Amino acid sequence: MADTHNLAIFRGALKFKTNKDKIWGVLILLSVITAIEVVLGIYKPEVLMGYIAGMKILNWIFIILTVVKAYYIAWDFMHLRDEASGLRRAIVWTGIFLISYLTFILLTEGGYIENVYSSGYITHDF
């Protein structure tokens, strides 16, 4: 691990003078992403209610923004940017694979249960 921490975010687009300033910058970034999620969740724009790959576009946006927040929290607050590239890849790619796999399972099983209930053929009472 390096002795000095990188005080930039957005791949160097924003640079800070102190760690305290950087923490505030990251807090503001994560707050803006969360505010976007909340606003989209409250208003649910009709243009985002179409379906892509069996799920609403709005739900895909929520999943992507949540993954971005999780990645950024790990990248800055767990100091992954200061680690060796092999360790960074092992942690980040494992998380991305796990989240993708669990999302796939959730969508597959949820679609099956929806089909069972909508077709009226229920063999088990869940």
Side-chain angles (χ1 to χ4, degrees):
M1 188 162 104
D3 291 332
T4 60
H5 295 291
N6 189 350
L7 296 178
I9 60 174
F10 294 126
R11 297 194 179 257
L14 289 175
K15 296 181 181 176
F16 300 99
K17 295 180 181 177
T18 66
N19 279 330
K20 186 177 178 182
D21 292 342
K22 183 181 174 194
I23 290 171
W24 279 107
V26 172
L27 174 69
I28 291 169
L29 171 70
L30 296 174
S31 298
V32 167
I33 293 174
T34 302
I36 291 169
E37 288 178 331
V38 169
V39 168
L40 288 175
I42 291 172
Y43 291 110
K44 297 179 184 171
E46 280 298 318
V47 72
L48 299 177
M49 290 300 166
Y51 284 85
I52 293 180
M55 193 168 62
K56 291 180 183 176
I57 298 170
L58 185 62
N59 291 343
W60 282 113
I61 291 172
F62 287 147
I63 290 170
I64 291 168
L65 289 177
T66 302
V67 169
V68 167
K69 285 194 313 186
Y71 173 79
Y72 213 82
I73 288 168
W75 190 253
D76 271 325
F77 291 119
M78 295 174 68
H79 305 288
L80 283 183
R81 79 170 59 224
D82 299 324
E83 297 294 339
S85 64
L87 178 64
R88 286 192 313 236
R89 286 187 192 114
I91 293 172
V92 170
W93 286 110
T94 302
I96 289 174
F97 173 75
L98 180 64
I99 290 170
S100 301
Y101 181 65
L102 292 175
T103 302
F104 169 76
I105 290 173
L106 177 73
L107 293 174
T108 303
E109 293 300 320
Y112 169 74
I113 291 174
E114 179 187 23
N115 288 338
V116 167
Y117 276 117
S118 65
S119 67
Y121 181 73
I122 300 175
T123 58
H124 295 74
D125 190 7
F126 296 107

